[in-house]
Amino acid sequence: MSVIEATTRKARARAGVPDGEPLLSVQDLKLHYPIRGGIVSRQTGAVRAVDGVSFEVFPGETLGIVGESGCGKSTTGRAIIRLENPTAGAVVFGGRDLAGLNTRELRRVRLNLQMVFQDPYSSLNPQKRIGDLLAEPLVAHGRASRKEAGERVTEMLDRVGLSAQFKGRYPHELSGGQRQRVGIARALMLDPTLLVLDEPVSALDVSIQAQVLNLLRDLQAELGLTYIFISHGLGAVRYISDRIVVMYLGKVMEVATTAELFANPRHPYTEILLDAYPAPNPHLRDKERTVVEGDVPNAAKPPSGCVFHTRCPFAQDKCRTEEPRLGGGSHAFACHFPLDAGRPTAASGNPETTKNPGVPA
Ligand code: SF4
C-alpha cells in the first residue's frame, strides 16, 4: 500500500467518513464585510472578501489554496473554522453543517478543526512557557490532568522535532522555525482531524521552510491528518498539495490536481500565476509569457461579469457581462475562453489592459 493510500485510510477511519465522501464541503461560502456611512451608520455597501466559494476536501489529502494577497484565501480559512461568521453558504464538516450547530455543539466540533497561523508568535502568549502553552488546551477542555498533559506535551514536542527542554522556554527564546513547530504542536494537542494552515511557512527562511513542510508531510502520514494549506507561494503549495484551488477577488478561478494544474492550466489567471513562479513551468517554457497589468480591483466594487476581465489579456465582450461558472468536473475552471479551447486571438485582446502579450502558439 502506498503512503498516500495508507494516509487516506487512516484519515477516513479517524474521521469516520465513508469511502469517497469528503471530510469537508464548502458550499457557496460568502463573507461580506458591511461598509457603513452617514450619521445613522447605514450600510452603504460591502467588501466581498469571499464571494461564493465552493470546494471539497477529502480525508488525508492536502488541498492548497493559492492566489494574490487580498484574494480571500485566508478569510476563507477563517470562515471555515468559524473565526469569522460567514454571510451565507454552508460549511459541512463530517456530514454536519456548522451553521446549524448551537454554540456548545460548535465548540465540540471545532476541536477537530484547528488553525496554524503565519506568525505563531502573535498566537502564543509571550508570558507563558512553551510547556504551559501546549498543556493549556488539554487541561481547559478536560482532556487530561496536569500530570498527563505534561507527558503529552513531551510526546508532542518530540513529534515536531523539539526536545523536552523546550518546555521551560518562552516564545521569544525560540527561532522562527522552532516557534512554528510549537504552533503546529499546539494545534495538534487536541487530536484534530483537519488543520487549516494559513501561510505557515511564508515568514520563514527557505531552508527552514523545507524542514517545516517535511514535518507537516510526516505528521500527516503518521497521524492521518487532512490539511487546507493556504499560501501565496506557489513553490510551497506545489510541494505539499494534492489538489490546488486558485482564488481571485473572493472567487474560485480553477481547481485541479497539482500535477494537472501545473501541466495544463486552463484559466488565464492560473497561467499568469505560474508564469510568475520562479521555477518556470516547463509547459510554458517556449511560449511568450503572459503578463498581467494593474492592481487587483476593489472587492467593494468588483468588476461585472468575470471579475478578472479588467486584467485578463483575453477578455471579450461576453466576459464583461456574463459571469463564468465554475465547471469542468475534476479539473474545474471559471472561464468563458479557457486556454487551449478556442481562446480569442491577440488582435481582439482586452482594451482595458495596457499591454496585450498575444496568444502563445
Ligand atoms: Fe475571464 Fe474572459 Fe479572461 Fe476567461 S477570458 S478569465 S472569462 S476575462
Side-chain angles (χ1 to χ4, degrees):
M1 192 190 300
S2 72
V3 176
I4 295 172
E5 283 168 346
T7 306
T8 306
R9 191 173 285 192
K10 210 179 276 180
R12 219 169 30 227
R14 282 194 62 205
V17 175
D19 197 2
E21 291 292 314
L23 172 63
L24 180 88
S25 173
V26 176
Q27 300 163 7
D28 203 17
L29 188 71
K30 294 182 182 171
L31 204 157
H32 296 175
Y33 296 108
I35 301 170
R36 300 190 182 280
I39 3 173
V40 288
S41 193
R42 199 166 51 88
Q43 184 172 343
T44 55
V47 175
R48 297 163 179 244
V50 179
D51 201 21
V53 164
S54 300
F55 57 77
E56 291 179 329
V57 189
F58 291 86
E61 81 165 341
T62 298
L63 181 82
I65 305 184
V66 73
E68 287 169 288
S69 163
C71 71
K73 55 190 186 302
S74 291
T75 314
T76 300
R78 295 171 71 84
I80 287 171
I81 69 158
R82 283 298 202 274
L83 280 181
E84 307 223 28
N85 281 329
T87 311
V91 175
V92 181
F93 179 71
R96 303 179 78 186
D97 182 1
L98 301 190
L101 304 182
N102 61 35
T103 315
R104 209 167 146 199
E105 289 171 324
L106 186 61
R107 261 193 92 196
R108 208 167 46 234
V109 172
R110 270 193 54 192
L111 301 182
N112 277 319
L113 292 160
Q114 295 291 321
M115 193 149 185
V116 174
F117 300 91
Q118 176 178 356
D119 177 15
Y121 200 46
S122 59
S123 60
L124 299 175
N125 185 337
Q127 293 173 328
K128 290 195 173 179
R129 294 177 199 271
I130 301 303
D132 293 329
L133 285 167
L134 294 183
E136 212 168 44
L138 285 178
V139 177
H141 290 281
R143 292 270 184 100
S145 66
R146 280 254 157 228
K147 186 168 176 293
E148 289 163 344
E151 287 160 12
R152 289 281 305 279
V153 167
T154 308
E155 199 183 301
M156 188 56 78
L157 282 172
D158 184 49
R159 269 195 202 282
V160 299
L162 297 174
S163 72
Q165 290 177 345
F166 280 84
K167 275 182 174 181
R169 300 204 188 156
Y170 289 95
H172 74 267
E173 295 177 296
L174 273 53
S175 69
Q178 289 166 343
R179 268 203 295 269
Q180 194 53 289
R181 284 172 191 266
V182 170
I184 293 166
R186 190 172 152 95
L188 291 176
M189 287 308 289
L190 290 169
D191 219 11
T193 47
L194 186 139
L195 286 190
V196 177
L197 302 143
D198 186 13
E199 303 272 9
V201 296
S202 303
L204 305 176
D205 292 343
V206 178
S207 59
I208 308 295
Q209 283 188 15
Q211 289 173 16
V212 173
L213 290 173
N214 286 332
L215 170 68
L216 287 169
R217 274 186 149 183
D218 292 347
L219 289 169
Q220 183 171 45
E222 209 177 304
L223 304 172
L225 295 167
T226 305
Y227 294 151
I228 294 179
F229 187 92
I230 298 165
S231 177
H232 67 276
L234 263 178
V237 171
R238 184 183 197 179
Y239 183 72
I240 201 162
S241 305
D242 300 300
R243 290 188 302 131
I244 298 177
V245 172
V246 179
M247 281 187 70
Y248 180 80
L249 212 64
K251 292 179 184 287
V252 174
M253 299 288 108
E254 187 160 6
V255 186
T257 62
T258 304
E260 173 67 9
L261 191 90
F262 275 80
N264 183 29
R266 303 297 309 274
H267 197 286
Y269 179 62
T270 307
E271 186 181 58
I272 285 160
L273 277 186
L274 299 190
D275 267 4
Y277 179 41
N281 177 3
H283 175 70
L284 304 171
R285 194 173 293 150
D286 299 329
K287 302 192 297 185
E288 191 173 349
R289 286 185 169 243
T290 311
V291 178
V292 69
E293 299 274 329
D295 296 324
V296 179
N298 185 350
K301 288 181 188 159
S304 60
C306 171
V307 287
F308 188 53
H309 88 250
T310 54
R311 301 173 78 201
C312 179
F314 313 110
Q316 299 294 292
D317 288 344
K318 184 180 180 182
C319 308
R320 295 178 190 100
T321 55
E322 206 177 301
E323 183 174 355
R325 290 188 178 282
L326 188 70
S330 61
H331 185 167
F333 42 86
C335 178
H336 295 308
F337 306 103
L339 306 182
D340 302 323
R343 190 166 49 167
T345 61
S348 56
N350 188 358
E352 292 179 49
T353 57
T354 53
K355 180 182 172 190
N356 190 324
V359 181

